Amino acid sequence: MNNKRAKFGSRFGVIAAVGGSVVGLGNIWRFPYLCGENGGAAFLIVYIAISFMIAIPIMLSEFAIGRSSRSNPMHAYSSLSKKRSWGLAGLLGIATSIVILSFYSVIAGWALEFLRESIADNFGGSSPEAIKSNLNTFINSGWRPLVWTLVFVIATGAVVLGGVEKGIERINKILMPLLFLILIGLVINSTTLSGFSDGVSFLFSPDFSKINGTVILKALGQAFFSLSLGMGSMIIYGSYIKRQERTMKLAATVSVTDVTVAVLSGLAIFPAVFSFGINPTSGPELIFLTLPNVFQQIPGGYFVSIIFFFLVFIAAITSSVSMMEVLTSYISEEMKIKRWVSTLMSVSLIFILGSLCALSQMDNSPLTIGGKSLFDVFDNFSATIMLPLGGLLSVIFCGWVMDKMVYKNELTNHGSYGLKLYPVIRFIVKFIAPVVISLLFMSLLGFI
Ligand code: TRP
């Protein structure tokens, strides 16, 4: 156990850092596009139910694994179980972080391009069709998305290099509250759009016939993605949380925040989707096709557009930092390599894979697997398979492998609070979460 390990400074700093990790492109970009593709309100309900009933206990388990071992995910699993083979669960997380960061950096790069275009006032007076063809030209230029991907990956590396307190905590503390305020402003503006009621009913009146195994699995994947679970981010952050911090309260606070931001994003986007005749199933391009139309319609839209894409960039970087932290701390701690070297290695690897993802989005790109672009495969496979698998391993570990008392002491701070909730969480971790996730996997594989 390493007691000298870096720790988050203040309590607000912890909330800001964990909140910064969970709130990201997952809420602002991925949630609206998946919700649009998978039946709107029906998807939202399943997603919220899973977030509160299954995801929170998983988050607590990841915190427990990290805080009690005070080490990176791979080392945490093997040291707490005293079995090296459990280290593979940590390795899965490393692989997942590489896959997610690759496509994540591409979309964050799009946000930077849209920020640049907003500043240059390129959207002013453009029709929805013009905005769409503009995005197409950008994607098909080949090199332009790569430049922005590189900028984003380097920026992430720079924050990671700044270390825990100085880097991650400081950037989150300032920018998280700002993000929330700007989003609320956008939602208020939504109420003035002609498609407001259509958007609201799309998001809130469920058509239950749309719920099936795939929708549930996608919602599970999205809950994991959005709450940064199943990969080790929360294990790493847990390892930086002080003993006296109440992780139950922390998990509840950030989960409520996360779901709120997703719903606010939905409210900012779907009314506009219906106002401007955009297809809700437009996929990963959805918010980029939608919002530039909104910005031109409102007074001061020029500035709102700049602020918004800056916000998306902030949300993305505070999350990507938590992913790269998994990779970098693993390389530097396990391979005994200096932190700046391991950061450089991570940055290079992600840039190479991210470039392939970006190029795979060009029309007729050969970078496809089974007819889908590498980008889509990375996005889909990581969230629907890798994260739930990582989450499954973490609950099996906490429920069945890890010392029961260590787990209980972690959750209740040695019995000083939260004892009423503990048995419920324990039950979910031991039985419900593993069974639900396994059933969903079996249905995906066609066994049920
Ligand atoms: N939750 C972040 C988002 O919504 C992304 C993220 C950060 C993540 N760390 C993670 C996703 C770990 C899965 C696992 O944008």
Side-chain angles (χ1 to χ4, degrees):
M1 219 184 276
N2 176 3
N3 281 321
K4 283 208 223 65
R5 195 175 176 79
K7 309 254 165 61
F8 290 123
S10 64
R11 173 154 303 166
F12 183 67
V14 182
I15 296 183
V18 178
S21 169
V22 304
V23 175
L25 293 178
N27 312 62
I28 301 170
W29 158 74
R30 202 170 187 277
F31 169 76
Y33 109 66
L34 277 182
C35 188
E37 280 183 345
N38 292 288
F43 179 86
L44 177 67
I45 290 183
V46 182
Y47 158 75
I48 291 183
I50 292 176
S51 294
F52 289 122
M53 281 154 53
I54 297 186
I56 290 186
I58 294 184
M59 182 179 282
L60 287 168
S61 302
E62 290 203 12
F63 284 152
I65 296 173
R67 189 162 68 165
S68 62
S69 67
R70 292 253 178 259
S71 49
N72 66 64
M74 189 185 147
H75 194 254
Y77 275 115
S78 44
S79 71
L80 292 174
S81 66
K82 306 203 176 52
K83 288 205 186 78
R84 289 196 63 148
S85 51
W86 265 103
L88 289 176
L91 272 187
L92 170 70
I94 310 287
T96 314
S97 70
I98 295 172
V99 174
I100 296 185
L101 264 175
S102 302
F103 71 85
Y104 204 88
S105 304
V106 173
I107 297 297
W110 287 18
L112 287 170
E113 164 71 12
F114 274 60
L115 175 60
R116 184 192 71 75
E117 293 197 29
S118 303
I119 294 171
D121 206 7
N122 271 6
F123 300 123
S126 306
S127 64
E129 293 72 34
I131 287 168
K132 188 167 181 169
S133 86
N134 187 42
L135 176 59
N136 241 327
T137 312
F138 167 67
I139 294 173
N140 279 293
S141 74
W143 64 275
R144 281 166 63 199
L146 301 198
V147 174
W148 289 122
T149 305
L150 181 63
V151 170
F152 182 76
V153 182
I154 290 179
T156 304
V159 179
V160 168
L161 208 52
V164 175
E165 266 220 77
K166 288 202 200 76
I168 302 173
E169 197 174 322
R170 188 174 299 166
I171 184 170
N172 280 312
K173 244 194 220 172
I174 307 169
L175 299 176
M176 282 300 297
L178 184 66
L179 185 154
F180 208 77
L181 286 182
I182 296 171
L183 206 51
I184 296 206
L186 275 179
V187 173
I188 293 173
N189 174 65
S190 258
T191 58
T192 65
L193 295 174
S194 61
F196 181 66
S197 60
D198 284 346
V200 168
S201 71
F202 180 78
L203 197 57
F204 295 123
S205 4
D207 172 358
F208 288 104
S209 68
K210 295 221 165 101
I211 300 181
N212 55 33
T214 316
V215 170
I216 300 178
L217 195 61
K218 294 228 156 150
L220 177 83
Q222 174 57 18
F224 277 51
F225 190 97
S226 198
L227 286 168
S228 303
L229 299 174
M231 189 190 97
S233 282
M234 294 298 128
I235 297 184
I236 275 284
Y237 276 22
S239 79
Y240 301 138
I241 296 176
K242 289 181 183 157
R243 290 256 164 259
Q244 58 274 29
E245 211 69 58
R246 302 178 164 202
T247 53
M248 282 199 199
K249 210 168 144 193
L250 178 62
T253 313
V254 297
S255 305
V256 170
T257 310
D258 189 61
V259 169
T260 310
V261 175
V263 172
L264 288 177
S265 305
L267 280 172
I269 284 154
F270 286 111
V273 162
F274 292 101
S275 304
F276 298 102
I278 292 160
N279 191 345
T281 64
S282 298
E285 297 181 356
L286 185 68
I287 71 160
F288 295 94
L289 295 179
T290 310
L291 289 169
N293 296 303
V294 180
F295 298 139
Q296 336 179 358
Q297 297 256 323
I298 54 178
Y302 172 76
F303 295 102
V304 181
S305 174
I306 295 175
I307 296 171
F308 178 79
F309 288 111
F310 178 62
L311 170 157
V312 176
F313 163 66
I314 292 162
I317 197 165
T318 53
S319 303
S320 61
V321 160
S322 77
M323 289 186 259
M324 197 181 277
E325 182 67 20
V326 172
L327 193 56
T328 309
S329 64
Y330 167 74
I331 300 176
S332 71
E333 287 168 19
E334 295 302 305
M335 301 184 186
K336 310 261 180 297
I337 291 176
K338 286 207 182 76
R339 206 171 148 94
W340 74 266
V341 181
S342 67
T343 309
L344 190 64
M345 288 166 72
S346 312
V347 166
S348 315
L349 178 65
I350 300 306
F351 175 60
I352 294 169
L353 290 174
S355 300
L356 295 178
C357 284
L359 295 173
S360 79
Q361 293 174 313
M362 294 169 73
D363 296 340
N364 305 320
S365 166
L367 295 165
T368 55
I369 299 177
K372 292 202 156 170
S373 71
L374 194 65
F375 178 97
D376 286 343
V377 173
F378 272 29
D379 179 0
N380 229 314
F381 187 73
S382 59
T384 346
I385 311 278
M386 297 176 95
L387 295 178
L389 190 59
L392 178 63
L393 291 174
S394 71
V395 277
I396 292 180
F397 187 82
C398 286
W400 301 89
V401 179
M402 185 175 168
D403 186 299
K404 201 175 150 190
M405 276 323 285
V406 173
Y407 184 70
K408 186 170 182 180
N409 285 337
E410 272 303 324
L411 259 68
T412 62
N413 284 9
H414 290 265
S416 61
Y417 84 107
L419 285 168
K420 279 204 198 100
L421 267 180
Y422 176 74
V424 181
I425 293 169
R426 181 85 189 155
F427 186 73
I428 296 177
V429 165
K430 233 176 137 108
F431 303 104
I432 299 194
V435 169
V436 170
I437 300 173
S438 307
L439 284 178
L440 285 170
F441 272 138
M442 284 203 263
S443 87
L444 183 78
L445 296 171
F447 288 132
I448 44 173

